[in-house]
Amino acid sequence: MDCFFRNDAEFDWLYPEHFQLMSQKQWTPIAIAKKAAEYLAVSGAKILDIGSGIGKFCLTAAHHNPDSHYFGVEQRHELVHYAKTAKRYLGLENASFIHANFTQLNFSEFDHFYFYNSFYENIDQKNAIDDTIETSYSLYDYYTQYLHSVLKMKPPGTRVVTYQSLGEEIPDDFKLADLSFDTLLRLWIKE
Ligand SMILES: C[S@@+](CC[C@H](N)C(=O)[O-])C[C@H]1O[C@@H](n2cnc3c(N)ncnc32)[C@H](O)[C@@H]1O
């Protein structure tokens, strides 16, 4: 199954065409996912992708890091369906997908986190994946503050990777350990 992780086009081929077409804007590029996953892959860790879409980050991460388990939470049922289908096709045991709003999860069950600016559709509706979900500025604020408050409760050593995020969801006690890809990818650790 290595061939699917060689580049974005080969991976995106696992999905229907309309998801392939939105890949550049909505799904983490393979090279970014690999680098982010390497940082989060502490052995035996449970890693949560907050807003996992079609599962591109989790599946790439799971393929390259068999000793960690990658969970994705996603509010759109259709995307969870395609993420699970791709997972079965790729035979990856260390990836799981949950259909829920991330606010419904118990964050104490996860060790480290990946976040690709998932709430942005609330302030830029024209680039939304579809119109099945209610979006608003107040939801953007609510989700950002909610994520900030759950990260605030995590213990020292907790790692977070953000991609294309403004950083508003990161509490002050997280230190920037590294940044790359024109500063779009940021690796954080709680002190
Ligand atoms: C930019 S996409 C990133 C997808 C995936 N993390 C990746 O890197 O390929 C953001 C995803 O977050 C989901 N999302 C946004 N708000 C959410 C929420 N409150 N709870 C769960 N999922 C959410 C969206 O439906 C979308 O699929």
Side-chain angles (χ1 to χ4, degrees):
M1 292 291 170
D2 272 354
C3 60
F4 289 105
F5 299 96
R6 278 196 303 236
N7 60 52
D8 292 302
E10 306 227 27
F11 182 88
D12 295 345
W13 179 85
L14 288 163
Y15 299 89
E17 194 179 3
H18 67 286
F19 291 133
Q20 297 178 23
L21 293 173
M22 62 177 79
S23 181
Q24 246 185 337
K25 277 198 177 149
Q26 302 290 355
W27 322 130
T28 301
I30 293 279
I32 305 262
K34 207 173 157 202
K35 169 122 188 175
E38 237 165 59
Y39 179 67
L40 297 171
V42 178
S43 186
K46 290 180 176 175
I47 293 131
L48 177 68
D49 179 6
I50 301 155
S52 49
I54 56 167
K56 193 167 178 180
F57 168 75
C58 285
L59 295 172
T60 307
H63 173 74
H64 288 292
N65 303 282
D67 292 339
S68 311
H69 198 110
Y70 295 85
F71 295 83
V73 60
E74 169 55 51
Q75 63 183 349
R76 289 182 164 88
H77 184 263
E78 187 190 14
L79 303 187
V80 175
H81 165 76
Y82 282 110
K84 286 183 172 172
T85 305
K87 170 204 144 102
R88 275 194 300 273
Y89 186 79
L90 294 166
L92 289 166
E93 296 294 330
N94 58 329
S96 309
F97 297 98
I98 305 158
H99 177 220
N101 193 298
F102 86 101
T103 56
Q104 295 169 280
L105 295 192
N106 179 355
F107 268 63
S108 66
E109 289 176 7
F110 306 98
D111 304 301
H112 307 296
F113 303 89
Y114 178 71
F115 181 66
Y116 177 0
N117 206 8
S118 297
F119 313 143
Y120 195 66
E121 65 178 343
N122 288 289
I123 51 177
D124 180 24
Q125 283 101 347
K126 69 177 187 311
N127 282 316
I129 292 168
D130 56 39
D131 60 4
T132 62
I133 297 289
E134 190 196 329
T135 55
S136 67
Y137 283 92
S138 53
L139 266 180
Y140 179 85
D141 287 338
Y142 172 67
Y143 289 151
T144 303
Q145 277 162 31
Y146 188 96
L147 182 53
H148 186 281
S149 66
V150 286
L151 290 178
K152 186 96 189 146
M153 289 188 300
K154 296 303 292 180
T158 300
R159 295 177 177 216
V160 176
V161 174
T162 57
Y163 180 51
Q164 295 200 27
S165 150
L166 303 172
E168 295 165 289
E169 62 289 332
I170 303 296
D172 287 346
D173 51 1
F174 278 77
K175 183 180 101 204
L176 191 59
D178 194 13
L179 74 179
S180 53
F181 293 94
D182 287 334
T183 75
L184 295 176
L185 188 70
R186 297 179 186 202
L187 315 185
W188 305 88
I189 187 155
K190 184 154 179 166
E191 295 190 301

